[in-house]
Structures are given as C-alpha cells and as structure tokens.
Amino acid sequence: QVQLVESGGGLVQPGRSLKLSCAASGFSLDYYAITWFRQVPGKEREGVSCISPSAEHMYYTDSVKGRFAISRNNRVNTVYLQMDNLKPEDTARYYCARQLYSCSGYPSVAGFDAWGQGTQVTVSS
C-alpha cells in the first residue's frame, strides 16, 4: 500500500524553526521526486519546494527561499523540510506528494499520484 505520512508540524512563535518529515511506505523513494505543498483554507494549494530523486535538483517558491531547506534520505525513505525563521504567513497545512522521476510538474498540483494527509503548521505569537 502506497503511503506518504507527514509529521513535525505544530504551533511555534515567529522566528522559530520546525522540521517536517514525509515518510514513504509501500514503495521506494529512489525514483520519485517529492514536493511539499501548503494550503490555507479558502486558498489554492501552493507548491513550496521540490527535490528530485537523487537530490541533484531542488526548487523553492520565492517566499521561502533562504529560510526553508528540503532534503532527503532515500535509505530511510524520508524527505524533510527544514523551516527556519518562520513567519505568520507560513501558517498552513503542509502536504507532501510524489511524482515519478523529476520535479517537472513543480509547482503545479497536477501530475502527483500519491499525497499525504498533511501536518498543520501554525506560526503565531
């Protein structure tokens, strides 16, 4: 059974950090790019960052460049999103999704065949 499970969300103050994890099961991450998306109720889902299967390519939306870092460990079938200097506008539910071979679809939400259930990130003082 193909599954992606996000974890690591929570409530933090502005300027603090969180590290999200996206754990894959039922398949090997070796051939899949993973994208992190986020969504606020009433708004469209936004592509935040993508990492290619061997981590040779990484992409970030402008609003998180210099603050977020995506990484992966294929040996443990997990992708991470380190989020530093968090801002209230980063508040959202964060999802990971897989795409075969590359980040070619990034930042569109189309072309992903498996999604996690999401983890909530709330940045507030």
Side-chain angles (χ1 to χ4, degrees), residues 59-80:
Y59 304 89
Y60 299 93
T61 192
D62 287 346
S63 63
V64 308
K65 286 179 180 176
R67 300 188 297 120
F68 289 14
I70 194 169
S71 62
R72 64 192 296 154
N73 185 340
N74 288 355
R75 291 175 297 174
V76 297
N77 243 22
T78 303
V79 172
Y80 307 97

Side-chain angles (χ1 to χ4, degrees), residues 20-22 29 34 36 51 70-72 77-81:
L20 306 184
S21 297
C22 172
L29 273 181
I34 295 293
W36 284 98
I51 187 167
I70 194 169
S71 62
R72 64 192 296 154
N77 243 22
T78 303
V79 172
Y80 307 97
L81 186 68

Side-chain angles (χ1 to χ4, degrees), residues 61-115:
T61 192
D62 287 346
S63 63
V64 308
K65 286 179 180 176
R67 300 188 297 120
F68 289 14
I70 194 169
S71 62
R72 64 192 296 154
N73 185 340
N74 288 355
R75 291 175 297 174
V76 297
N77 243 22
T78 303
V79 172
Y80 307 97
L81 186 68
Q82 176 68 42
M83 306 187 296
D84 297 326
N85 190 22
L86 282 161
K87 302 178 179 181
E89 51 264 42
D90 296 317
T91 295
R93 192 163 185 86
Y94 285 71
Y95 301 85
C96 60
R98 74 171 192 179
Q99 184 175 34
L100 193 59
Y101 297 138
S102 76
C103 293
S104 61
Y106 177 82
S108 170
V109 299
F112 295 88
D113 65 349
W115 293 77

